[in-house]
Amino acid sequence: MRRRLSRALARPLVLAAAVLALSVGPSGPVAADRVVIGGFPVDASESPWTVALSSRDQFGGTRAGQFCGGVAVGRNTVLTAAHCVDEEVLGGPPERVRDLKVIAGRTDLFSDRGGREVAVREIWVNPAYDGVSNVGDFAVLTLAEPLPADSVIGMAVGGDPAYAVGEAATVYGWGDVSGAGEYPNSLRAARVRVLPDALCEEAYPGGEDGVYDARSMLCAGEAKGGRDACQGDSGGPLVAQGRLIGLVSWGIGCGRAGSPGVYTRVSGIMRTLGWAHM
C-alpha cells in the first residue's frame, strides 16, 4: 500500500532529525550532492522570501526548531501550508505555541546565527481546508515586525505563463534530502517542471492515495521521479519565472516515478483571498 504524506516535519520524526544533525556537526550539510530531493545547496540571499517556520519548544533547539517552510508575499505576510499549523503537527492549538516564529535570511539553521527571527502575531487558516483531500492547503501568517522589502516575492495570477506545462520551476526548503529521514542544516533547492494536470489526476484519482484537484492544486516534478520536495518542506515556495506559483503540500513518498509532488496553486489562494488583482 502506498502512503499519502503531507510534507510537514511530523513531531515523531523530530528526534531522529535532531540526532542526525548532531552527528554531522556544524561543519556542513548531510549530503552535499542531494536536495530537497535531487537538488543543490543555495544561499538564503538567493531566495530571501523563503522562510523557515520554527518552534524550539515543540521541535527542539537543533536546526532552530524548524518544522516547515513558508514564503513572504508581503513585508508582514507569510504563506504556508494549512497542515503545518494543524494541531497534529504542533501538538496542540497553534495559539498555544508561544514561540512560533519565522526565520528569514538564514541559510544554515544549525548555526543559529544570521538572518532574523520574527514572531508570528496572527494565524489565519483557510476555513475550506480539507485535511483528508488536502484541498485548500494554505494558511496566512501575520508577522509582529516587517521584513525588508526585498524579502518579498510576487505571486502569479491565474493565466500567468509561469503555470504553463513544461515550465522550469524551483522548489526550496530544509526538508529531508533522501526520503529516509536525512535532514540537512542548510537551505536546498531542486529544479523541477510544471507537469500536466492529467498526469496528476491519473496518479491521484482519489481514495487512500489522495485526490488531485486542478483548481486548487499544481503538479510539479519529473515524470521519471528523482526531483521533489519531501518531509519538512511543507509550505515552502515553488517559483517559476521569478514568481510564486505553488506551496509544497503533499505526495506519495518523495521523488518516486509516477507520484509527482503536489503543490497548493497560488492563483487559487489569490482567488480565495481576493488578491487576484495584487
Side-chain angles (χ1 to χ4, degrees):
M1 181 179 74
R2 301 195 303 173
R3 185 184 177 201
R4 177 167 59 94
L5 294 171
S6 64
R7 289 176 168 182
L9 182 58
R11 298 180 82 246
L13 295 179
V14 172
L15 179 59
V19 169
L20 178 64
L22 287 170
S23 70
V24 299
S27 59
V30 173
D33 61 339
R34 289 187 284 180
V35 198
V36 188
I37 293 286
F40 51 91
V42 293
D43 191 86
S45 63
E46 299 174 48
S47 58
W49 17 262
T50 302
V51 302
L53 270 59
S54 162
S55 170
R56 291 176 176 83
D57 288 349
Q58 297 297 316
F59 297 94
T62 302
R63 298 174 74 251
Q66 185 267 346
F67 64 96
C68 267
V71 54
V73 296
R75 295 189 65 187
N76 290 85
T77 306
V78 165
L79 290 177
T80 190
H83 71 260
C84 283
V85 289
D86 188 87
E87 291 191 19
E88 185 177 346
V89 171
L90 293 179
E95 62 270 16
R96 295 185 185 175
V97 183
R98 302 298 184 186
D99 71 332
L100 184 62
K101 298 177 181 178
V102 302
I103 303 175
R106 182 178 300 169
T107 302
D108 186 344
L109 297 176
F110 191 95
S111 71
D112 232 16
R113 296 188 303 272
R116 296 178 60 193
E117 298 191 15
V118 182
V120 175
R121 188 182 69 202
E122 183 179 344
I123 302 171
W124 183 89
V125 179
N126 178 19
Y129 167 59
D130 183 341
V132 176
S133 66
N134 282 324
V135 169
D137 187 16
F138 74 92
V140 182
L141 310 181
T142 302
L143 306 183
E145 302 172 18
L147 298 174
D150 61 2
S151 296
V152 174
I153 189 172
M155 296 174 283
V157 300
D160 191 300
Y163 293 107
V165 172
E167 186 63 37
T170 306
V171 58
Y172 298 85
W174 290 268
D176 187 351
V177 298
S178 68
E182 296 183 49
Y183 294 93
N185 300 325
S186 295
L187 182 62
R188 294 287 186 274
R191 295 191 177 103
V192 295
R193 291 195 177 276
V194 177
L195 298 175
D197 289 329
L199 189 153
C200 256
E201 288 168 351
E202 181 179 352
Y204 305 117
E208 64 186 17
D209 285 351
V211 59
Y212 180 77
D213 174 60
R215 273 182 59 84
S216 65
M217 298 174 186
L218 178 70
C219 195
E222 298 290 340
K224 62 183 179 181
R227 295 179 185 175
D228 198 1
C230 200
Q231 272 56 59
D233 291 322
S234 283
L238 178 69
V239 175
Q241 297 188 13
R243 296 180 291 282
L244 180 68
I245 63 171
L247 304 178
V248 177
S249 183
W250 63 283
I252 300 294
C254 302
R256 294 184 184 179
S259 299
V262 183
Y263 298 77
T264 305
R265 187 181 289 266
V266 166
S267 60
I269 295 175
M270 297 177 74
R271 184 172 58 247
T272 298
L273 296 176
W275 290 355
H277 301 293
M278 288 181 65

